[in-house]
Amino acid sequence: MLKKSYSNLIYECGTDEAGRGCLAGPVTAAAVILPEDFELELLNDSKKLSEKTRFGLRPLIEKVAVSFSYSHIHNEEIDEINILNASMKGMHESILKLQTQPSFIIVDGNRALNAKLGLKNTLGKRFTSDEIELLKNIPNQSIIKGDAKFLSIAAASILAKTYRDEFMDKIHEEYPMYNWKKNKGYPTKDHRAAIAKYGPCKYHRKSFRLLPEQLCLDFEL
């Protein structure tokens, strides 16, 4: 059973992201505040669960959560601010969308929540000074492999993963040749073979190495 809380404060929020290593589509972040008496034995790091289990757990999490939210940071913005900043910005946006303000935030990974606030991006949401101040003033702690240690981060990982997968399934219908319904935009052999054959599309991350160096991409990025 994962731990319920890091800080023992009411309204502790867990946050995580999905899709950081993909060649196409958004990076998706989620934030979740769980009630103090929350228990769900199956809940774990989304990477350790089957797709069926993840989608089965999502409505259970959302039904009982004090508050939850998710945010997509799309490929154009990823190309502008880089994937690490985009991942963090997605978590920032998700926290700001919560209907209940967190008293403490635990973040999956090794970067503090308030890193890279107020980026001078031209795409996507730009934070107001009040939003930046709010994010700076909520105490937080980054936890390596936190999605396998704390319930709220695990819950956020499931929401981020499932909402991103749904997005990739949707754009698969527009570009079925990349087989995103199966690979979700990750750099699988079939995905890269499709890029080599058809070239990249509007959902690909142009700042990423879409093909190995030994393959030549004749299409303009």
Side-chain angles (χ1 to χ4, degrees), residues 156-183:
S157 77
I158 288 171
L159 266 56
K161 174 65 174 166
T162 54
Y163 280 111
R164 185 183 187 278
D165 283 357
E166 284 184 344
F167 183 91
M168 297 307 296
D169 289 350
K170 180 179 178 180
I171 63 173
H172 166 86
E173 302 303 320
E174 189 177 354
Y175 292 96
M177 70 282 282
Y178 300 112
N179 203 16
W180 289 331
K181 195 171 184 67
K182 180 179 179 182
N183 64 51

Side-chain angles (χ1 to χ4, degrees), residues 25-221:
V27 61
T28 302
V32 181
I33 300 174
L34 296 173
E36 290 183 282
D37 60 352
F38 179 84
E39 290 186 6
L40 191 55
E41 190 171 341
L42 286 176
L43 186 56
N44 206 333
D45 172 8
S46 64
K47 296 185 291 296
K48 298 179 179 180
L49 303 173
S50 69
E51 181 178 30
K52 181 179 179 180
T53 300
R54 288 193 295 267
F55 276 95
L57 287 172
R58 190 174 84 183
L60 300 178
I61 294 167
E62 293 180 347
K63 181 179 180 180
V64 302
V66 174
S67 187
F68 68 89
S69 65
Y70 70 94
S71 294
H72 296 307
I73 304 296
H74 292 283
N75 52 292
E76 300 93 343
E77 190 171 1
I78 292 170
D79 289 336
E80 181 180 28
I81 64 175
N82 81 46
I83 187 58
L84 293 177
N85 289 335
S87 299
M88 189 61 66
K89 185 169 185 257
M91 290 190 276
H92 293 153
E93 286 192 17
S94 297
I95 291 163
L96 290 172
K97 288 180 181 179
L98 292 170
Q99 294 182 349
T100 301
Q101 183 175 318
S103 56
F104 195 92
I105 300 167
I106 48 178
V107 186
D108 185 60
N110 59 4
R111 297 211 312 172
L113 175 74
N114 55 10
K116 297 291 185 178
L117 280 170
L119 291 168
K120 302 299 182 184
N121 54 301
T122 61
L123 299 170
K125 176 180 172 59
R126 297 191 70 172
F127 297 139
T128 67
S129 57
D130 287 344
E131 288 172 332
I132 292 171
E133 196 65 23
L134 174 65
L135 289 167
K136 281 183 177 179
N137 286 323
I138 301 174
N140 66 89
Q141 176 64 48
S142 59
I143 301 170
I144 296 172
K145 296 183 179 179
D147 48 5
K149 297 175 182 177
F150 290 92
L151 286 169
S152 61
I153 300 181
S157 77
I158 288 171
L159 266 56
K161 174 65 174 166
T162 54
Y163 280 111
R164 185 183 187 278
D165 283 357
E166 284 184 344
F167 183 91
M168 297 307 296
D169 289 350
K170 180 179 178 180
I171 63 173
H172 166 86
E173 302 303 320
E174 189 177 354
Y175 292 96
M177 70 282 282
Y178 300 112
N179 203 16
W180 289 331
K181 195 171 184 67
K182 180 179 179 182
N183 64 51
K184 308 306 182 190
Y186 282 92
T188 60
K189 185 180 293 186
D190 69 314
H191 188 186
R192 281 188 154 146
I195 296 171
K197 182 176 181 179
Y198 300 104
C201 75
K202 64 182 181 180
Y203 294 111
H204 280 102
R205 302 174 184 178
K206 306 305 191 296
S207 57
F208 278 45
R209 181 177 293 168
L210 299 178
L211 292 175
E213 288 181 347
Q214 64 265 31
L215 294 179
C216 178
L217 186 62
D218 295 327
F219 297 86
E220 183 180 351
L221 298 183

